[in-house]
């Protein structure tokens, strides 16, 4: 897949965390109205996700992940490979700026050097291992080499003759790169990073691969694929590809390098010729994949050895080029509502993503404070919201700024209106979130912490971007309209 911002997850202590920490998620950035880093972290927290992969080393994202416990993979983009591969100083500077500046507050665990270089940027293949070695040397100098691993993600298409898995081997064209790369991974204790897409294998097989086999669906014993050399039975494409990589490494005498799947998923929507890119198939694949991984099923070659896997991806990327399916790999829309509800039994709290009844309305970040104040005036005036909790000395008075107060009032109106379409707009300064904005003793309407019953009062409509309605109640103090005031959304 093209460069994206992948986020792989699991977060904050929970009873399910020990078993769920093998699953992460990718987050692409080619999105209209991309949520802020704070909102991204809030969504991950709500889904108990504590692994994330970034396709770069974005400063705002790394700061947002500080002190969260989220395990972060950062990346050297492909367009920086050449410079880093030719200069120890360049690599050292990159590590200083993008790793040492944030670690350990931000839990950076891996540096992915490039992405699918052999297949997407073959002209840079000759410098790939040098780039990895220079980054590793910089980590050693910074005394971070024991905490942070260095590797590079590959498309599974570098493996030829992947079935039967026991006969698989790497494309020999790349032996001058693959062999020294595997030596590097073995010597540093780093994993082979692999992108595994049964969807593409299924589509490109022209009917040879059954859909159920690609989707982890149960197969009759006589329908399972059997490796004639090992007599191992394969019930899904994912395991066959992972084992093919293990066998391909063993063919080159590397037998102790673990595999981490850095991308895997299924699109929920496609064009006229993409018949199997459906919500049902995407739900089936990702639900079964997550269950497969967290149950520590392993693969037929390595049973019981779970393969850490990152789901592709967190959000739909509506601005990605290419076929319609390219825009529809996400688990969530950017407002935090799920594209579909995963069917997970016994998966603990991981990606329990039915957030349709857990939505709140909040003020957007970085919007005009005067527009927020006008919307707040309307909500507490003509909108008939009970804003008494915002009075001085009351539970939601602090923090005393227009963003925090607007968030409370917007959400109270949204809940009062039964979360009706258009009731969380306020001329474009509000947005829907799945994260409960309640804090301390300030419990928001609609929160599970509240015993309130919100009526479906439809006597007023929230001002939309096309509305000229305005209200007039006493404004917050001038201090609260200062552009330097900040609202921390938790």
């Amino acid at each position: 897949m093209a460069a994206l911002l992948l986020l792989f997850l699991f977060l904050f202590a929970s009873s399910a965390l020990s078993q769920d920490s093998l699953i992460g998620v990718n987050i692409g950035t080619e999105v209209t109205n991309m949520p802020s880093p704070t909102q991204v972290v809030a969504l991950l927290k709500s889904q108990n996700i504590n692994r994330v992969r970034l396709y770069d080393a974005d400063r705002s994202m790394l700061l947002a992940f500080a002190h969260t416990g989220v395990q972060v993979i950062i990346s050297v983009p492909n367009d920086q490979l050449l410079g880093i591969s030719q200069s120890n100083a360049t690599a050292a500077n990159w590590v200083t700026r993008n790793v040492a500046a944030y670690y350990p507050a931000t839990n950076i665990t891996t540096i992915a050097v490039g992405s699918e270089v052999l297949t997407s940027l073959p002209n840079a293949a000759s410098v790939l291992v040098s780039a990895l070695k220079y980054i590793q040397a910089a980590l050693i100098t910074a005394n971070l080499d024991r905490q942070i691993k260095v590797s590079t993600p590959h498309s599974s298409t570098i493996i030829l003759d992947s079935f039967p898995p026991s006969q698989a081997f790497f494309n020999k064209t790349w032996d001058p790169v693959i062999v020294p790369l595997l030596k590097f991974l073995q010597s540093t204790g780093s994993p082979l990073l692999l992108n595994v897409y049964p969807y593409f294998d299924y589509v490109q097989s022209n009917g040879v691969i059954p859909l159920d086999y690609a989707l982890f669906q149960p197969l009759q014993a006589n329908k399972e694929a059997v490796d004639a050399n090992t007599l191992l039975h394969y019930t899904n494409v994912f395991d066959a590809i992972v084992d093919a990589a293990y066998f391909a490494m063993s063919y080159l005498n590397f037998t102790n390098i673990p595999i981490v799947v850095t991308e895997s998923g299924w699109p929920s929507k496609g064009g006229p010729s993409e018949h199997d890119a459906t919500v049902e198939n995407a739900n089936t694949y990702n639900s079964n994949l997550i269950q497969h991984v967290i149950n520590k099923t392993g693969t037929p070659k390595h049973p019981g050895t779970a393969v850490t896997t990152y789901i592709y991806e967190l959000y739909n990327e509506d601005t990605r080029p290419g076929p319609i399916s390219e825009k529809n790999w996400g688990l969530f829309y950017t407002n935090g509502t799920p594209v579909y509800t995963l069917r997970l039994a016994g998966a603990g709290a991981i990606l329990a993503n039915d957030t349709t009844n857990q939505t709140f309305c909040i003020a957007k970040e970085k919007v005009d404070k005067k527009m927020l104040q006008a919307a707040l005036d309307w909500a507490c005036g003509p909108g008939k919201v009970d804003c008494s909790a915002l009075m001085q000395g009351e539970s939601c008075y602090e923090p005393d700024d227009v963003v925090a107060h607007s968030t409370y009032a917007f959400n109270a109106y949204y809940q009062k209106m039964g979360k009706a379409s258009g009731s969380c707009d306020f001329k474009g300064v509000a947005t829907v979130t799945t994260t409960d904005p309640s804090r301390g003793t300030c419990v928001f309407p609609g929160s599970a912490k509240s015993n309130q019953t919100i009526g479906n009062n439809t006597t007023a409509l929230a001002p939309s971007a096309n509305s000229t309605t305005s209200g007039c109640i006493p404004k917050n103090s001038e201090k609260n309209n200062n552009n330097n005031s900040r609202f921390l959304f938790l």
Side-chain angles (χ1 to χ4, degrees):
M1 304 292 294
L4 290 151
L5 165 58
L6 290 162
L7 287 181
F8 295 93
L9 4 138
F10 277 67
L11 207 56
F12 307 92
S14 76
S15 61
L17 207 59
S18 61
Q19 85 176 45
D20 293 342
S21 60
L22 298 167
I23 286 286
V25 76
N26 308 326
I27 299 178
T29 55
E30 296 184 66
V31 175
T32 303
N33 298 321
M34 180 69 185
S36 69
T38 301
Q39 291 170 323
V40 170
V41 171
L43 177 60
L44 297 182
K45 179 179 178 180
S46 74
Q47 298 299 311
N48 294 296
I49 294 169
N50 78 340
R51 289 180 184 265
V52 60
R53 176 188 169 200
L54 308 179
Y55 278 96
D56 52 19
D58 181 78
R59 172 179 169 78
S60 59
M61 290 299 302
L62 290 174
L63 288 173
F65 283 113
H67 308 295
T68 64
V70 175
Q71 300 177 51
V72 182
I73 297 177
I74 62 173
S75 300
V76 177
N78 285 349
D79 60 7
Q80 296 180 25
L81 278 179
L82 184 60
I84 286 177
S85 70
Q86 294 180 336
S87 168
N88 199 3
T90 301
N93 183 53
W94 193 94
V95 167
T96 298
R97 288 185 293 105
N98 299 302
V99 182
Y102 305 101
Y103 187 88
T106 299
N107 186 19
I108 299 169
T109 60
T110 306
I111 300 173
V113 180
S115 178
E116 298 189 345
V117 173
L118 300 187
T119 49
S120 66
L121 194 64
N123 290 339
S126 61
V127 304
L128 179 59
V129 176
S130 294
L132 270 74
K133 289 181 176 179
Y134 276 133
I135 291 291
Q136 178 70 13
L139 289 177
I140 292 172
T141 300
N143 200 28
L144 294 173
D145 56 301
R146 293 185 179 181
Q147 300 94 322
I148 300 171
K149 300 300 181 183
V150 181
S151 190
T152 182
H154 296 286
S155 164
S156 63
T157 59
I158 65 170
I159 303 167
L160 300 183
D161 292 340
S162 58
F163 201 89
S166 62
Q167 292 183 192
F169 58 93
F170 293 112
N171 187 330
K172 295 185 182 299
T173 303
W174 299 120
D175 276 1
V177 178
I178 290 292
V179 173
L181 170 65
L182 294 177
K183 288 181 179 178
F184 171 84
L185 298 180
Q186 186 176 63
S187 67
T188 59
S190 299
L192 176 72
L193 305 182
L194 195 65
N195 297 339
V196 177
Y197 285 102
Y199 170 75
F200 291 121
D201 289 273
Y202 164 73
V203 170
Q204 294 163 10
S205 75
N206 295 317
V208 173
I209 295 177
L211 180 60
D212 284 349
Y213 184 58
L215 294 174
F216 289 91
Q217 291 290 72
L219 299 173
Q220 296 178 359
N222 61 353
K223 296 291 182 68
E224 294 178 359
V226 180
D227 187 325
N229 299 314
T230 61
L231 299 182
L232 293 174
H233 287 236
Y234 287 88
T235 60
N236 61 81
V237 175
F238 180 90
D239 282 352
I241 294 174
V242 172
D243 271 0
Y246 279 125
F247 278 109
M249 286 193 288
S250 65
Y251 180 80
L252 296 174
N253 297 317
F254 296 93
T255 58
N256 58 352
I257 298 174
I259 291 175
V260 169
V261 173
T262 37
E263 296 179 21
S264 193
W266 197 285
S268 61
K269 184 179 180 181
S273 63
E274 298 175 300
H275 308 295
D276 295 292
T278 66
V279 166
E280 179 62 26
N281 287 344
N283 194 345
T284 298
Y285 179 80
N286 282 322
S287 295
N288 288 340
L289 172 62
I290 292 168
Q291 199 76 59
H292 185 69
V293 172
I294 65 177
N295 286 346
K296 298 185 179 179
T297 307
T299 66
K301 180 172 172 58
H302 293 290
T305 302
V307 179
T308 299
T309 300
Y310 294 86
I311 305 296
Y312 186 87
E313 59 185 326
L314 189 60
Y315 297 117
N316 273 343
E317 294 187 276
D318 59 338
T319 63
R320 276 184 64 80
I324 292 175
S325 61
E326 281 297 296
K327 309 174 191 293
N328 291 280
W329 291 80
L331 298 174
F332 293 88
Y333 298 107
T334 52
N335 67 2
T337 57
V339 177
Y340 46 85
T341 303
L342 292 165
R343 299 186 288 264
L344 301 174
I350 172 65
L351 282 168
N353 72 336
D354 183 5
T355 57
T356 53
N357 294 316
Q358 305 170 35
T359 54
F360 302 86
C361 184
I362 63 170
K364 289 183 178 177
E365 298 181 8
K366 299 180 181 179
V367 296
D368 186 87
K369 296 296 190 296
K370 291 181 179 179
M371 292 182 65
L372 275 181
Q373 183 66 58
L376 173 61
D377 293 348
W378 185 92
C380 295
K384 299 182 179 180
V385 166
D386 180 3
C387 293
S388 59
L390 301 176
M391 301 297 290
Q392 188 168 5
E394 297 300 323
S395 59
C396 297
Y397 176 72
E398 296 289 349
D400 179 21
D401 66 61
V402 69
V403 179
H405 285 197
S406 295
T407 288
Y408 181 90
F410 293 172
N411 180 68
Y413 181 84
Y414 176 66
Q415 302 295 335
K416 184 180 79 162
M417 299 300 292
K419 307 180 185 179
S421 176
S423 61
C424 182
D425 184 84
F426 296 92
K427 291 191 175 181
V429 298
T431 187
V432 174
T433 181
T434 59
T435 302
D436 187 346
S438 300
R439 55 188 183 275
T441 59
C442 178
V443 179
F444 276 48
S447 170
K449 304 172 186 177
S450 173
N451 292 322
Q452 296 181 20
T453 300
I454 306 297
N456 187 13
N457 186 334
T458 59
T459 57
L461 294 176
S464 69
N466 297 320
S467 170
T468 58
T469 306
S470 178
C472 186
I473 65 169
K475 290 187 177 184
N476 290 3
S477 66
E478 286 301 312
K479 171 180 74 70
N480 297 330
N481 289 307
N482 190 306
N483 287 333
N484 290 327
S485 65
R486 299 184 64 187
F487 171 65
L488 180 60
F489 175 50
L490 297 176

